[in-house]
Amino acid sequence: AINKPSDNVFSRTLLLALGRATPGAPAEPTLLRADRAVRGWLRSKGLNDDGLVLDNGSGLSRSERISPALLEGVVRAGLASRWAPEFLASLPIAGVDGTLRNRLTASPAAGTARLKTGTLRNVVALAGTMTDAGGQPLVVVAVINHDALRPRQMRPLLDGLIDWVARTRFVPVPAGN
């Protein structure tokens, strides 16, 4: 209900519900409890939350921040969790549904890449999973942040990157490297 249509109101509500469900002092603001809960989960997965800034939970904030490396870690944690099928089902499918229904329709990524989109006035992002031309599963995270560009100028660059990844056969990296 949140990821495919990128519902920012539900995202904010989910963050606040998480905060309300998190134990804390009676005077502790709900948003601070939510922040503590998110950081606790990230740390439990071995992810470094340095630089993470949560404001409204939807990403529609000029103050929110997440590094591409942390975003990759979140995707990997989702894929490794017992809830992986539900996590994958929540992500828009390139050329099929959600915020990607009209994007990458002529790409080999269509119908297979599952990517969450993110857009602000001067930022576009994609994060999720797809396969390369050899069928190797990949986690991809791409963010463009440029004050002089608008989403309509940046989206084709991200789509081109995803198309290139889908058309390229990458050499697997040995575990531990």
Side-chain angles (χ1 to χ4, degrees):
I2 294 174
N3 282 340
K4 284 200 189 261
S6 200
D7 192 311
N8 297 308
V9 173
F10 277 168
S11 296
R12 172 74 172 165
T13 302
L14 178 61
L15 182 67
L16 293 173
L18 177 62
R20 188 156 195 275
T22 300
E28 184 180 18
T30 303
L31 191 56
L32 287 180
R33 284 185 287 181
D35 185 88
R36 190 165 30 85
V38 168
R39 290 174 189 282
W41 181 85
L42 291 169
R43 291 176 188 143
S44 79
K45 302 300 178 196
L47 301 174
N48 182 343
D49 66 343
D50 289 350
L52 175 68
V53 177
L54 291 175
D55 177 33
N56 66 17
S58 73
L60 276 182
S61 166
R62 293 285 165 203
S63 63
E64 284 199 333
R65 301 282 184 270
I66 188 168
S67 70
L70 180 53
L71 198 49
E72 176 204 6
V74 169
V75 171
R76 287 189 186 282
L79 294 172
S81 81
R82 66 182 179 147
W83 305 107
E86 289 79 7
F87 171 63
L88 281 171
S90 80
L91 297 175
I93 303 169
V96 175
D97 64 10
T99 54
L100 289 177
R101 71 185 161 280
N102 297 319
R103 292 173 63 183
L104 296 154
T105 56
S107 170
T112 60
R114 293 175 175 267
L115 305 163
K116 175 68 185 85
T117 61
T119 305
L120 286 174
R121 183 191 58 215
N122 59 339
V123 181
V124 294
L126 290 171
T129 185
M130 62 184 293
T131 57
D132 70 2
Q136 177 179 219
L138 304 169
V139 170
V140 294
V141 175
V143 179
I144 301 174
N145 185 349
H146 196 290
D147 287 337
L149 298 176
R150 298 295 174 252
R152 66 176 157 57
Q153 297 166 298
M154 294 184 280
R155 265 191 214 107
L157 298 173
L158 286 187
D159 290 357
L161 174 65
I162 297 302
D163 181 66
W164 173 77
V165 169
R167 293 177 188 279
T168 303
R169 185 181 303 262
F170 292 91
V171 176
V173 177
N177 288 339

